[in-house]
């Protein structure tokens, strides 16, 4: 709503009110006396009336003044059908005239002004509704989801900090957009869809805009959440529009923010969401139907990749995933430095100290810290931001974050570090398990305090018995490392245990992998493919005796792995300690780094003569 317009309606009302007041004043100044016709007539007979003006409905008049210069007495009466009136006036020497317009102005105003007011109000409401936030009721049936087209985006890659890996992966996309013909002439494969995955506030939206800004191409953006609560078919039409528009402007970028809102796996959730499905299908159709060589790249962002419809992630769609993770310590420092450019810092501010204080914070949080610190400095009437301001700002932001995610104490961080290195070491030492990509003790959300990321080298559709056992072993690695180093386990292993138990249960019940129970599938309820290992399907039909045996078998399976992991980690204890120390120091560690540590230890064992 533009302010100017809102004001004009008030001007109008004010003008109207003034008009009414003036009118009142005008008539009031004449001391207009409403008198009955009979009174008027008797005044005429008494010879008191000086002059009258006669209109269709009224008679206005003035009484004779007794003394010269006195206020005249004006009066008005309703005209009555009286054929004798003219004769009567003549006989009594009254000046008279027929007046047509004497009250016309007032009469007209009395109906024109209300009409004007209503028209103005109506017009105003219409304007308001059509420009108002989100469209409103007058535009039912039209999409709430707006396509934004921006040219000349001022954001550059240098405005994004602390997510260097993601930026590196993204550069190729920028280069392609700058010179699509260079890529096509070589015949290189161009990514069609790039999915930016990462926690909220890590700079996914920023990165997408930076790509467009850097490449100097138009940026079409639309948010997945705007598709929700729309009418069937509208979202699909919007998607079609979006691609139609974008193709005309190639090379360009299409950015779908919050892809998860519309890309949820089909058939998931309490109701099959007709509209969302149609929109999603349309998106898939459009993605399949265009050739990336025209120079359109589709970017999407999500912080919940696990709920996305698998169809979206298939080859030729969003097949390139870029992890935009929480920044590590140097990363946080880089982000702080970047945002601190806009404020005046005291010369002895140490941003690296602030970076060390803020594990788990994302770019948006850090931008917030800088902003809060500036506000604090202003409140204290200083013209530079001091270290103390920044430290207080961190506390404020942490207090705000506390509900969302946790910031760990030193003792907790140590425990988490050993736990994660435990997982990683087991994964590295067991033949055939997925290589460890990254180990991190940067807290993620509420559930995970740290994580070990294993990347499968190939798609797996079948798993053998020993592979399943290996999975259980890796899951137990964290807990066993805690026991080995600290003497007892902690609640941090609950999720691992649950996953391990479920794998063991399915081995026994579904896959017939238990010697004791034999080759019998005990679970007859069909398991939907998207059911994750930690979601337990309904119980099958088997006797209580069998149930007890299943429990025993599951326990046995896990115990066997526990023994194995304990032995393994005991021999690897130096690597466990060394790895955890390194992890505590740098918060994030690559699998290669840990592998090197492990090799070092093994080398020492071999070379040291005993
Ligand atoms: P996301 O889309 O991942 O939720 P945004 O891109 O919307 O996060 O980030 C919100 C704001 O936080 C940005 O506008 C920027 O000011 C700040 N920010 C987040 N990440 C970074 C980063 N890596 N570098 C610099 N600023 C960042
Ligand atoms: Mg975003
Ligand atoms: Zn774990």
């Amino acid at each position: 709503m533009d302010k100017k317009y809102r004001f004009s309606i008030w001007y109008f009302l004010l003008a109207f009110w003034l008009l009414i007041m003036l009118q009142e004043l005008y008539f009031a100044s004449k001391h207009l006396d409403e008198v009955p016709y009979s009174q008027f007539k008797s005044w005429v007979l008494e010879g008191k009336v000086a002059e009258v003006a006669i209109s269709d409905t009224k008679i206005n008049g003035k009484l004779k003044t007794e003394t010269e210069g006195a206020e005249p007495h004006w009066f008005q009466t309703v005209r009555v059908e009286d054929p004798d009136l003219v004769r009567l006036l003549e006989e009594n020497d009254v000046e008279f005239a027929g007046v047509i317009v004497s009250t016309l102005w007032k009469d007209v105003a009395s109906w024109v002004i209300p009409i004007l007011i209503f028209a103005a109000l109506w017009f105003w409401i219409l304007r308001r509704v059509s420009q108002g936030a989100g469209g409103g009721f007058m535009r039912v049936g039209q999409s709430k989801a707006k396509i934004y087209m921006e040219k000349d985006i001022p954001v550059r890659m240098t405005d994004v900090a602390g997510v260097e890996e993601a930026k590196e992966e993204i550069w190729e996309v920028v280069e392609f957009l700058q010179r699509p013909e260079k890529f096509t002439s070589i015949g290189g494969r161009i990514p069609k869809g790039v999915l930016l995955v990462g926690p909220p506030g890590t700079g996914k939206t920023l990165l997408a805009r930076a790509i467009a800004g850097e490449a100097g191409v138009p940026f079409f953006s639309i948010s997945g959440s705007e598709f929700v609560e729309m009418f069937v078919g509208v979202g699909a039409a919007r998607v079609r529009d979006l691609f139609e528009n974008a193709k005309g402007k190639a090379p360009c970028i299409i950015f779908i923010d919050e892809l998860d809102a519309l890309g949820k796996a089909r058939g998931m959730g309490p109701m099959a969401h007709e509209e969302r499905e149609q929109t999603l299908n349309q998106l898939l159709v459009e993605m399949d139907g265009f050739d990336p060589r025209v120079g359109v790249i589709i970017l999407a962002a999500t912080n919940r990749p696990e709920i996305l419809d698998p169809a979206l992630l298939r080859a030729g769609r969003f097949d390139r995933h870029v992890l935009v993770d929480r920044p590590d310590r140097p990363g946080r420092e880089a982000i702080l430095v970047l945002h601190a450019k806009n404020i005046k810092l005291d010369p002895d501010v140490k941003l690296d100290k602030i970076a060390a204080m803020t594990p788990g914070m994302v770019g948006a949080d850090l931008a917030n810290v800088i902003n809060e610190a500036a506000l604090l400095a202003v409140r204290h009437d200083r013209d530079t931001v001091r270290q103390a301001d920044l430290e207080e700002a961190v506390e404020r932001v942490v207090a705000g974050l506390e509900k969302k995610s946790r910031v760990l104490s030193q003792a907790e961080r140590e425990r988490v570090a050993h736990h994660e290195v435990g997982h990683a070491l087991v994964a590295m030492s067991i033949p055939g398990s997925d290589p460890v990509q990254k180990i991190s003790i940067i807290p993620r959300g509420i559930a995970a305090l740290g994580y070990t990321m294993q990347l499968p080298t190939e798609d797996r559709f079948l798993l053998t018995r020993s592979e399943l056992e290996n999975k259980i072993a890796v899951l137990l690695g964290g807990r066993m490392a805690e026991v080995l180093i600290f003497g007892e386990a902690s609640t941090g292993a609950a999720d691992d245990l649950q996953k391990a138990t479920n794998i063991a249960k399915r081995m026994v019940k579904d896959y017939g992998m238990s010697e004791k129970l034999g080759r019998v599938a005990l679970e007859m309820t069909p398991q939907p493919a998207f059911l994750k290992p930690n979601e337990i399907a309904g119980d099958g039909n088997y006797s209580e005796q069998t149930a007890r045996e299943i429990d025993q078998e599951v326990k046995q399976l896990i115990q066997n792995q526990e023994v194995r992991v304990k032995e393994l980690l005991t021999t690897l204890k130096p690597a466990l300690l060394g790895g955890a120390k390194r992890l505590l120091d740098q918060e994030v560690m690559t699998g290669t780094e840990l592998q090197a540590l492990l090799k070092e230890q093994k080398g020492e064992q071999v070379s040291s003569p005993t």
Side-chain angles (χ1 to χ4, degrees), residues 44 47 49-51 64 87-96:
V44 173
V49 178
E51 55 184 271
K64 282 178 182 150
R87 191 180 46 81
L88 198 68
L89 292 173
E90 273 171 352
E91 277 173 7
N92 289 285
D93 214 11
V94 178
E95 267 183 54
F96 68 92

Side-chain angles (χ1 to χ4, degrees), residues 19-38:
L19 230 112
I20 301 247
M21 291 306 284
L22 275 176
Q23 200 185 355
E24 297 269 307
L25 230 82
Y26 171 70
F27 284 103
S29 73
K30 284 175 98 183
H31 287 295
L32 206 57
D33 208 5
E34 285 277 348
V35 295
Y37 191 75
S38 55

Side-chain angles (χ1 to χ4, degrees), residues 62-303:
K62 190 173 82 171
L63 292 187
K64 282 178 182 150
T65 41
E66 264 111 72
T67 51
E68 206 60 35
E71 275 280 288
H73 183 181
W74 290 91
F75 64 87
Q76 184 179 57
T77 186
V78 175
R79 184 175 166 184
V80 171
E81 196 50 54
D82 183 353
D84 294 338
L85 181 63
V86 173
R87 191 180 46 81
L88 198 68
L89 292 173
E90 273 171 352
E91 277 173 7
N92 289 285
D93 214 11
V94 178
E95 267 183 54
F96 68 92
V99 179
I100 305 168
V101 280
S102 66
T103 59
L104 190 64
W105 184 81
K106 201 184 174 189
D107 291 345
V108 167
S110 69
W111 60 267
V112 164
I113 287 179
I115 286 178
L116 278 177
I117 290 180
F118 277 115
L121 264 175
W122 181 242
F123 183 65
W124 179 66
I125 288 171
L126 277 183
R127 277 277 291 260
R128 205 198 152 97
V129 157
S130 62
Q131 318 177 315
F137 58 86
M138 294 302 288
R139 297 171 93 201
V140 163
Q142 253 176 292
S143 166
K144 214 176 92 173
K146 289 195 204 81
I147 304 172
Y148 300 91
M149 208 275 275
E150 288 176 85
K151 266 184 169 170
D152 309 321
I153 290 187
V155 183
R156 292 288 175 275
M157 287 298 247
T158 45
D159 296 324
V160 190
V163 283
E164 297 311 316
E165 289 159 54
K167 276 167 74 174
E168 256 164 53
E169 286 188 63
I170 285 299
W171 264 116
E172 193 192 305
V173 177
V174 175
E175 274 163 21
F176 164 68
L177 285 167
Q178 281 170 337
R179 275 185 307 256
E181 65 291 339
K182 183 184 143 205
F183 276 73
T184 43
S185 65
I186 299 172
R189 205 176 89 79
I190 300 135
K192 205 186 241 186
V194 179
L195 184 62
L196 303 171
V197 182
T202 45
K204 298 181 293 298
T205 308
L206 191 66
L207 203 52
R209 293 171 57 81
I211 297 171
E214 200 71 55
V217 299
F219 184 73
F220 289 85
S221 67
I222 195 164
S223 173
S225 63
E226 288 178 357
F227 281 115
V228 189
E229 58 173 354
M230 272 189 341
F231 297 85
V232 174
V234 179
R238 270 284 122 138
V239 171
R240 215 174 304 126
D241 278 1
L242 178 64
F243 278 80
E244 211 53 57
N245 286 335
K247 271 183 250 177
K249 287 268 191 313
C252 68
I253 285 178
I254 295 178
F255 179 55
I256 304 171
D257 211 349
E258 298 170 66
L259 181 67
D260 44 285
L262 95 117
K264 262 181 216 152
R266 281 165 291 191
M268 243 174 70
M271 281 176 293
H273 199 304
E274 182 80 13
E275 164 61 11
R276 201 182 58 216
E277 275 183 28
Q278 275 206 14
T279 311
L280 176 57
N281 283 336
Q282 188 63 37
L283 178 64
L284 295 176
V285 166
E286 294 290 346
M287 284 193 82
D288 289 343
F290 88 90
D291 185 344
R293 278 174 296 181
V294 299
V296 180
I297 291 218
I298 309 163
L299 292 177
T302 180
N303 45 37

Side-chain angles (χ1 to χ4, degrees), residues 419-420 423 450 475 478-479 492-493 496:
H419 178 109
E420 296 307 330
H423 281 307
L475 283 167
R479 184 192 145 91
D496 294 336

